[in-house]
Amino acid sequence: MSLRNLTHSPLPPPLTALDRSFAAWLHDQQNCSHTSQLWLAALVSHQWSRGHACLDLQSLQRQPAELLGWTAEEVHRLPPDCAAVADTLPWTQGEHSPLVRDGQRLYLRRAWAAEQTIRCALQRRIENAVAAPAELEEWLDQLFDAPQDTAGQDKQRQACRLAATQQVALITGGPGTGKTTTVARLLALLQRAAPTPLRIGLVAPTGKAAARLSESLQKARQGLPAGWGQDLPTQAQTLHRLLYSHAGAASGEATLPLDLLVVDEASMMDLEMTASLLQALPPAARLILLGDRDQLASVEAGAVLAQLSDGPLLAAQRVNLLYSHRFDQGSGIGQWARAVQHGPSDQLRDLWSQAPQGFTHTEADVTRLSWSTAHGTHVTEMLRDAWGPWWSQLQSGLASGQGLSDAQAHDLIKAFSRFSVLCGLREGPWGVQNLNRLSAQALGLPDALWCAGRPVMVTRNNAGLGLMNGDVGLCLPRAGPTPQDPPTLRVAFPQGTDGVRWVAPSRLDAVETVFAMTVHKSQGSEFDHVLLVLPDRPAPVLTRELVYTGLTRARTRLTLWVPQVSVLWQACAQQVVRSGGLAD
């Protein structure tokens, strides 16, 4: 059968070369009898690349444009019987078939196998009975001896009780709802109840998220009642590092030497990473998942946290923390977060109109900019002011000409992380690349690739250097071992809670300047002040989840730069719903 109709359509839908090649490969393995079968195979690949675990056949038949993200004209090119031929596919037969038909879903086998692994691993933990310690309520009274606020601590107490009586627990909630505080208390509770000290692992999907988890747990441990903080770990690592630091763990063998594992920012976990982790975790080990289900899902395929939060599988094992201690009722950032979660509304439009114009404002925690151009002296002055405190601190350190100590480098990294520019797109006038260029120009950084003050983000895991995708460092002159030794240009990366590690620039072959970053890259991070930049026209990546994630990276101040407010409304109206079976 010729693939001409698939590869040379007058107006081909946005299938990639990989999608077409996958269908062609299947045809080479086993001839099909109808062109529609090739289309269906290509669509499975297409959906996988868009983050879906499967192709939802029912949605393909009823609302193909919404499912595929195509225009009406593109959908018109689909064969009308595309969904109907799923029953006749020759590539779904046998236990090693490349495709799997599961009800009204069509999977790549790798995706179907990952879902089954997750489902079975969680089901085993659900079925394993855990006896609650006799002193449970007494211990909870000690851990929660502060005056009870029914909106906050009661939910945290419920989460601790749940973790003490279940082998798996899912704790969700928005920023500031006390997820880390709750984890510190439940870890102390479980450690006290254990006959021998538990081997506890703390992980997050990115280096930034792991560092923030470590810092948060150290602070939370200090708030525990006297005698409750012993044997609690506070040093988190990335998921990749955990899996690849133990022989066999990355290949699915249950070799992780842990009795309990805490996974923070679980919304960032993709389908296959979650499956690998659950395979590597011993069946008797407890699992605690933390995250915000309203944030962006993983870059790779799957929406594990969102589907587990909505589905019946962990219905009795989850607690949703609702009360935000960071964003109270008077917080503008909190009001924006709650409004965006519900899509376009009168409340959202009122918040926009009430937000003061301008980058700096002493009374409001949310301000807005409507500049219609992404260049000019007003932009330069804004960026210079935004980075001013950090830049002044840097120049003060450089003035001696002796290079910087570890302590100075750590303080500069901390100062740099107080502000960030977050963009919805990478390219274009309002994208990461242009805002990085404008920021460097505003500060007068030289054109040289490596220079003192250049902030960089690692874009690819480097196990040899111990650096992970998303790690951020500063290029600085490092002080020599003696005052007579000249300083050497190195990149300082944070290590632990108050240390740094220095890496020669020549060893960093996958980094980019990071005055600005995409909202996707910002997940797991927090900044005192965020400048959230949207473009002047709609784009498929601009969604409710992206806006919510971007604005909730701000702790105390948020500036929204929206050249066309209709783009904001459209983004908030567009919600990401990924196909998959974990919610069943």
Side-chain angles (χ1 to χ4, degrees), residues 267-290:
S267 63
M268 301 167 65
M269 291 174 62
D270 63 77
L271 195 65
E272 292 187 310
M273 174 59 75
T274 307
S276 297
L277 180 67
L278 289 176
Q279 281 184 306
L281 193 64
R286 276 182 157 104
L287 175 66
I288 298 171
L289 300 174
L290 307 173

Side-chain angles (χ1 to χ4, degrees), residues 124-140:
R124 284 196 300 269
R125 284 178 167 79
I126 293 170
E127 294 170 354
N128 286 346
V130 177
E135 306 90 343
L136 177 58
E137 295 303 322
E138 176 187 341
W139 290 344
L140 288 173

Side-chain angles (χ1 to χ4, degrees), residues 106-119:
L106 188 60
Y107 290 84
L108 297 175
R109 176 162 288 278
R110 60 186 284 191
W112 180 83
E115 268 199 8
Q116 299 309 305
T117 296
I118 295 170
R119 190 190 309 277

Side-chain angles (χ1 to χ4, degrees), residues 131-448:
E135 306 90 343
L136 177 58
E137 295 303 322
E138 176 187 341
W139 290 344
L140 288 173
D141 287 340
Q142 295 178 37
L143 286 169
F144 294 92
D145 59 353
Q148 295 289 298
D149 58 276
T150 56
Q153 281 202 13
D154 279 356
K155 278 285 188 179
Q156 294 181 13
R157 182 179 177 123
Q158 180 184 342
C160 288
R161 184 184 294 109
L162 176 71
T165 57
Q166 300 286 339
Q167 202 183 8
V168 57
L170 174 60
I171 303 174
T172 60
T177 52
K179 295 188 294 293
T180 308
T181 301
T182 302
V183 166
R185 287 171 171 167
L186 68 84
L187 290 182
L189 179 67
L190 295 177
Q191 196 70 282
R192 174 161 293 196
T196 58
L198 297 173
R199 299 169 298 173
I200 300 174
L202 307 172
V203 295
T206 67
K208 291 179 297 182
R212 191 161 65 86
L213 175 60
S214 299
E215 182 181 354
S216 299
L217 278 176
Q218 287 193 11
K219 293 179 180 177
R221 187 172 66 173
Q222 296 171 2
L224 292 173
W228 279 89
Q230 297 91 340
D231 299 321
L232 291 190
T234 56
Q235 191 60 48
Q237 60 182 317
T238 65
L239 278 168
H240 286 89
R241 189 167 294 166
L242 173 72
L243 289 176
Y244 288 95
S245 62
H246 296 280
S251 61
E253 299 178 26
T255 58
L256 294 177
L258 297 174
D259 301 309
L260 190 158
L261 179 65
V262 176
V263 184
D264 195 17
E265 299 288 353
S267 63
M268 301 167 65
M269 291 174 62
D270 63 77
L271 195 65
E272 292 187 310
M273 174 59 75
T274 307
S276 297
L277 180 67
L278 289 176
Q279 281 184 306
L281 193 64
R286 276 182 157 104
L287 175 66
I288 298 171
L289 300 174
L290 307 173
D292 184 347
R293 58 140 3 261
D294 294 312
Q295 282 190 30
L296 284 165
S298 64
V299 176
E300 304 298 329
V304 176
L305 182 71
Q307 292 188 4
L308 291 178
S309 298
D310 293 339
L313 182 61
L314 296 182
Q317 286 75 32
R318 63 177 180 246
V319 174
N320 185 31
L321 306 179
L322 300 173
Y323 182 79
S324 177
H325 300 273
R326 184 190 311 164
F327 303 138
D328 59 24
Q329 294 301 315
S331 164
I333 300 174
Q335 292 178 40
W336 269 91
R338 290 185 288 271
V340 167
Q341 286 175 312
H342 297 94
S345 63
D346 291 341
Q347 181 191 8
L348 196 59
R349 291 178 172 83
D350 289 343
L351 288 172
W352 172 260
S353 62
Q354 293 165 8
Q357 291 267 14
F359 181 72
T360 58
H361 198 278
T362 57
E363 297 178 358
D365 58 346
V366 178
T367 59
R368 62 185 173 98
L369 302 172
S370 301
W371 297 334
S372 59
T373 58
H375 57 81
T377 57
H378 56 294
V379 177
T380 301
E381 291 173 358
M382 174 190 69
L383 294 172
R384 187 182 298 123
D385 289 344
W387 295 111
W390 163 75
W391 187 251
S392 296
Q393 185 175 334
L394 172 64
Q395 298 309 308
S396 177
L398 297 178
S400 68
Q402 298 298 312
L404 302 177
S405 66
D406 288 11
Q408 288 175 303
H410 174 267
D411 290 344
L412 281 168
I413 293 172
K414 189 173 182 179
F416 178 79
S417 66
R418 292 192 179 105
F419 171 75
S420 188
V421 180
L422 307 184
C423 303
L425 303 180
R426 281 192 58 83
E427 300 177 353
W430 286 272
V432 166
Q433 294 177 354
N434 189 48
L435 267 297
N436 270 323
R437 181 181 61 82
L438 293 174
S439 295
Q441 289 179 353
L443 297 174
L445 278 178
D447 294 332

Side-chain angles (χ1 to χ4, degrees), residues 440-457:
Q441 289 179 353
L443 297 174
L445 278 178
D447 294 332
L449 183 62
W450 290 108
C451 59
R454 182 193 178 198
V456 295
M457 174 185 284

